[in-house]
Amino acid sequence: MSSDTTLAKAPAAPDDPPVHADELTVVPQRRLGQWAAAAAVLVLLGLAVTSVLRNRAFQWGVVADYFTTDSVLRGLWLTLWLTVVVMVLGFALGTLLAAARLSANPVLRAVSWGYVWLFRSIPILVQLLLWFNIGALYPHLFGVRTVDLFTPIAVAIIGLTLHEAAYAAEVVRGGILSVDRGQIEAAQALGLSRWRRWWRIVLPQAMRAIVPPAGNMLIGTLKGTSIVSVIAVQDLLFSVQLVYHRTYQVIPLLMVATVWYTVVTSVLSVGQYYVEKRYARGTGAAR
């Protein structure tokens, strides 16, 4: 055979037939560390729950006896009523502060900023005590003794409202700023009035950013009302304190308040979920 004779190449094997996706076997990735951590957490959680249920010091029978007593239910009602009043007044004042902060008037912007700065800087307990003792600074207001005007419940409403308004102003302002400027310009181009622009264009879109922090504020306000017990407002916490000061059953009565707070905050959390879902319609967050 001649040296320059080339060897014939073997015919190429036909390509393998394509494999369909449904014929593939999917093997999930093993995450042994995550499963071990989950098992450890479940074991610790089970031990904690067992310890709470079997610890006789909690006196769950006493908790059941006082859970629906008249004094506790009256305190719960006052807590809920105070929460609603403070949130409504706080967001009304906070909306005005947010509008002032976004206005073109430098005086309004400065006053709004100063209010938010001041009331976010002072602890709520200090604010309540200052309002409770306002009679030491102004013995008479409008010809009436200050101590007669500023009753404990009035002090609670004023102090909590002014405190919540500072945070509500920032929540509303952030929600308004989250709306794309192009939406407002498009509404202006269509000739919509200023009121209709805010009511039909800005507010529905701003609510997507306002509702989550507003829901957190509502739950925080509900729990924060317990601080009014220091000025003798008979809310839920003060009501159970009156009982255990008489019976010396501190732990079970505190558990009564704890369970009621947990129940109410859980209901509010469910409501917040559906409100968020409603305002998130048409967006990816709705899923």
Side-chain angles (χ1 to χ4, degrees):
M1 181 180 296
S2 172
S3 59
D4 57 352
T5 304
T6 57
L7 297 176
K9 293 183 180 180
D15 294 336
D16 295 333
V19 178
H20 297 286
D22 55 359
E23 297 178 359
L24 298 175
T25 302
V26 179
V27 179
Q29 182 180 1
R30 296 181 179 179
R31 297 183 173 88
L32 298 180
Q34 292 184 9
W35 284 108
V41 170
L42 290 177
V43 170
L44 293 175
L45 181 60
L47 292 175
V49 172
T50 303
S51 174
V52 170
L53 295 178
R54 298 183 63 181
N55 191 333
R56 296 182 179 180
F58 283 100
Q59 303 181 53
W60 293 109
V62 177
V63 174
D65 292 338
Y66 284 99
F67 192 70
T68 55
T69 56
D70 292 338
S71 61
V72 171
L73 292 180
R74 284 195 300 269
L76 175 64
W77 167 250
L78 181 58
T79 294
L80 296 175
W81 177 84
L82 188 60
T83 300
V84 173
V85 171
V86 168
M87 284 298 295
V88 171
L89 296 179
F91 262 88
L93 179 57
T95 302
L96 295 178
L97 291 170
R101 185 76 179 274
L102 295 173
S103 70
N105 191 311
V107 176
L108 294 179
R109 291 202 308 268
V111 171
S112 176
W113 180 90
Y115 179 97
V116 173
W117 166 78
L118 179 62
F119 282 92
R120 290 201 306 179
S121 301
I122 305 174
I124 181 59
L125 179 58
V126 177
Q127 295 182 42
L128 286 177
L129 293 177
L130 285 173
W131 285 108
F132 190 71
N133 294 279
I134 194 68
L137 297 175
Y138 302 98
H140 293 84
L141 287 175
F142 310 109
V144 183
R145 291 198 313 164
T146 305
V147 293
D148 295 332
L149 288 176
F150 287 80
T151 61
I153 189 66
V155 168
I157 293 175
I158 293 172
L160 292 176
T161 297
L162 295 178
H163 177 77
E164 292 298 319
Y167 291 90
E170 292 299 282
V171 170
V172 174
R173 185 174 70 92
I176 294 174
L177 292 177
S178 67
V179 179
D180 186 19
R181 181 65 185 176
Q183 298 284 332
I184 303 176
E185 294 175 352
Q188 291 174 337
L190 292 175
L192 297 180
S193 64
R194 184 180 181 86
W195 170 252
R196 293 194 65 186
R197 288 200 304 269
W198 281 94
W199 184 254
R200 303 292 297 178
I201 305 298
V202 177
L203 186 60
Q205 297 183 68
M207 289 298 292
R208 298 173 185 171
I210 292 175
V211 168
N216 292 334
M217 282 185 60
L218 175 61
I219 294 174
T221 302
L222 172 71
K223 296 183 296 182
T225 55
S226 61
I227 202 171
V228 301
S229 61
V230 301
I231 56 175
V233 176
Q234 294 189 13
D235 68 323
L236 178 59
L237 179 59
F238 191 80
S239 299
V240 300
Q241 286 177 329
L242 290 178
V243 176
Y244 72 62
H245 285 157
R246 185 179 68 251
T247 64
Y248 300 103
Q249 296 170 317
V250 179
I251 297 299
L253 267 301
L254 288 178
M255 291 306 300
V256 170
T258 300
V259 174
W260 269 122
Y261 281 122
T262 303
V263 170
V264 177
T265 53
S266 300
V267 173
L268 293 178
S269 298
V270 173
Q272 177 185 351
Y273 166 77
Y274 284 104
V275 173
E276 289 183 16
K277 186 176 180 180
R278 181 182 186 279
Y279 281 104
R281 290 177 301 179
T283 65
R287 295 191 295 271

